Amino acid sequence: MRVMGVDPGLTRCGLALIVTAPGRAVTALDVDVVRTTSDEPLERRLRAVHSVADEWMEIHRPDVVAIERVFAQNQVSTAMGTAQAAGVVALAAAYREIPVAFHTPSEVKAAITGSGRADKKQMTLMITRILGLQKPPSPADAADALALAVCHSWRAPMQGRVASLNAHVARSRAGFEAKVAAAREAAASDGTGRRDPAADQERARAAARGMARTKGVRW
C-alpha cells in the first residue's frame, strides 16, 4: 500500500510518501514541504498547496491520503489556515477518488512513540529510526508528514478489522430482529397472514386473568 501523509499548513505543508510491506515494515519513497509566504493572497497560497499536492498524487498514485486532523488552537487564524490547507488537499484527493483518512496528533504520536504526549524531538527521532533514514527529516513538517503516513499504515488494518466486525454484528442483529418479528407475526396470525381477532381476545383475557389472580380475584 502506498500512503501519502500530509501535515497541513499554509506557511509550510509537509508531504510524504511511504510504501508498506507485510507486517509493520515501511519504506520512505519521497518527502517535500510546500512553502508559501504570508504576504501572498490567501487564495494563491491555497492554490499553491493544492497544485503541489495534486501533482504528487498524479506522480506517486497513492492508495490513500492521510491528513492530520485540525483542532482549534490559541491562534484562531493559524488553525483556520491549517484547516483550509487540509481541505484543499482532501479536495484534490476527492477529485481523483483517492480515500482520505484523518488522524489526530495524539493518535500519530501514540502510534510512532507509544505516547500521545511525545514532543517534536521524540517524534523526529523515532520516525528516523523506524524508516531507517540516514539523517532526521527536516523541517519538522517533513517528519510529521512521514509520521502521519506511517501511523495510517499501522492503524488501517486494525480499523478495517473493527469496521468489518461492527458490520457483521449489525447484520447479525438485523437478522435476529427480523426473525423475532416474523415469529411474533406468525404467532399472532391465523395462518393466512391475517391477524385472528378471536386469538387476540383470548390472549387479552388470559393476561387479564393473570393480573386478577395477583389481586385475589377469581374468574
Side-chain angles (χ1 to χ4, degrees), residues 26-96:
V26 288
T27 303
L29 299 181
D30 200 358
V31 64
D32 195 7
V33 175
V34 185
R35 291 177 170 84
T36 66
T37 58
S38 58
D39 59 349
E40 296 179 77
L42 174 61
E43 63 273 18
R44 292 187 181 180
R45 301 179 75 184
L46 292 173
R47 183 180 65 183
V49 173
H50 178 276
S51 177
V52 176
D54 185 65
E55 183 180 0
W56 260 59
M57 295 174 198
E58 173 67 24
I59 295 172
H60 294 301
R61 304 289 180 175
D63 297 301
V64 62
V65 177
I67 305 175
E68 182 178 290
R69 187 180 297 278
V70 180
F71 284 94
Q73 302 173 355
N74 293 331
Q75 295 182 343
V76 177
S77 60
T78 300
M80 289 181 61
T82 302
Q84 289 166 334
V88 297
V89 174
L91 179 63
Y95 273 122
R96 294 180 177 275

Side-chain angles (χ1 to χ4, degrees), residues 55-196:
E55 183 180 0
W56 260 59
M57 295 174 198
E58 173 67 24
I59 295 172
H60 294 301
R61 304 289 180 175
D63 297 301
V64 62
V65 177
I67 305 175
E68 182 178 290
R69 187 180 297 278
V70 180
F71 284 94
Q73 302 173 355
N74 293 331
Q75 295 182 343
V76 177
S77 60
T78 300
M80 289 181 61
T82 302
Q84 289 166 334
V88 297
V89 174
L91 179 63
Y95 273 122
R96 294 180 177 275
E97 297 187 349
I98 301 173
V100 176
F102 292 91
H103 299 282
T104 65
S106 60
E107 288 173 344
V108 178
K109 292 176 181 179
I112 301 302
T113 70
S115 171
R117 297 179 177 273
D119 58 26
K120 290 283 187 182
K121 184 177 180 179
Q122 291 173 308
M123 287 288 291
T124 300
L125 176 64
M126 286 303 300
I127 201 63
T128 302
R129 184 177 301 172
I130 290 169
L131 293 171
L133 304 177
Q134 294 183 352
K135 61 180 181 179
S138 180
D141 310 87
D144 290 344
L146 286 166
L148 275 154
V150 173
C151 169
H152 181 78
S153 71
W154 287 352
R155 287 173 57 89
M158 178 182 66
Q159 292 174 331
R161 288 192 293 271
V162 171
S164 178
L165 178 60
N166 288 340
H168 175 71
V169 171
R171 288 193 298 269
S172 298
R173 180 179 298 171
F176 174 75
E177 291 175 350
K179 290 180 180 179
V180 170
R184 288 175 177 171
E185 186 66 23
S189 68
D190 61 0
T192 64
R194 295 173 297 182
R195 296 185 67 87
D196 185 355

